[in-house]
Amino acid sequence: MMGDSAGVAGLDLSLRKDNKVFRVGDVVMGFTSSFRMGQLLQYNLSAPKHHPDVDLFTYMVTEFIPAVRNCLKTGGYARIDNNEERGGCFLVGIKGRLFQIESDFQVGESHYAFDAVGCGAPYALGALSVLIEDKSRTPESMLNRALLQAERFSAGVRRPFHYEKTNPFQVEVSS
């Protein structure tokens, strides 16, 4: 997983030293929406361990998300809009799989082997859909190229880029 360093509010841009991509135990996360949300996920989230007898998607919905909701509520970030609890958008890499968490806390898993969030997502996804065909590239190289294309076309994407990889020994293959 790779993230950029841009903090964007309207037309204002700041380059941040704190990373949008980080590791919490065996989980790699990358966020958009709010640096406060990212800080809570990185430093306050107590995610329950995944038990191998529980399907990973089921774990994400029934165990991981309740822990995220509690973390964001306790940290004062979760908010109620029209009687609906809202958070933010982020990616979770766990056991070789990638999940996208939306602001309504739904869990999504792309049909493709990649995903992206944030204002540069459409550009990164377009680049990744082409780069994934080049088997000579490393994942880090593909992600870097994709973010360079996102930076070229989105005013809200800026270097330096930060990379984290999941533990390759904990891959779970979905059927």
Side-chain angles (χ1 to χ4, degrees):
M1 193 176 298
M2 187 175 280
D4 75 317
S5 296
V8 180
L11 294 176
D12 296 331
L13 168 73
S14 63
L15 290 181
R16 304 279 301 238
K17 286 186 176 184
D18 46 338
N19 295 341
K20 294 181 190 177
V21 174
F22 51 87
R23 175 179 300 285
V24 176
D26 295 332
V27 176
V28 174
M29 288 190 259
F31 68 91
T32 187
S33 304
S34 164
F35 277 87
R36 176 63 180 152
M37 179 194 70
Q39 292 162 355
L40 290 169
L41 293 172
Q42 184 173 7
Y43 299 111
N44 291 25
L45 178 62
S46 296
K49 288 272 187 207
H50 171 252
H51 300 286
D53 56 331
V54 175
D55 170 71
L56 192 55
F57 190 86
T58 302
Y59 160 80
M60 291 297 296
V61 172
T62 63
E63 297 181 49
F64 187 83
I65 290 302
V68 167
R69 289 178 63 213
N70 185 52
C71 171
L72 297 181
K73 265 189 259 188
T74 302
Y77 180 75
R79 59 199 177 282
I80 305 292
D81 289 331
N82 295 323
N83 274 345
E84 185 178 293
E85 185 180 18
R86 307 295 289 180
C89 187
F90 58 99
L91 295 173
V92 178
I94 179 172
K95 298 192 178 196
R97 290 172 64 185
L98 185 61
F99 299 95
Q100 185 174 137
I101 312 305
E102 293 291 341
S103 61
D104 65 354
F105 299 105
Q106 69 153 297
V107 177
E109 186 174 18
S110 178
H111 170 78
Y112 303 104
F114 53 89
D115 209 343
V117 294
C119 60
Y123 309 107
L125 289 169
L128 284 169
S129 69
V130 173
L131 291 167
I132 200 83
E133 303 295 325
D134 184 354
K135 303 297 181 202
S136 68
R137 288 188 177 275
T138 65
E140 184 175 4
S141 167
M142 284 188 280
L143 292 170
N144 189 65
R145 291 290 301 160
L147 279 178
L148 286 170
Q149 296 313 306
E151 182 184 54
R152 176 179 286 173
F153 294 105
S154 174
V157 179
R158 291 292 181 274
R159 283 174 268 187
F161 304 140
H162 304 281
Y163 178 74
E164 284 285 341
K165 62 182 178 178
T166 59
N167 185 343
F169 300 108
Q170 292 190 330
V171 173
E172 179 174 304
V173 179
S174 61
S175 51

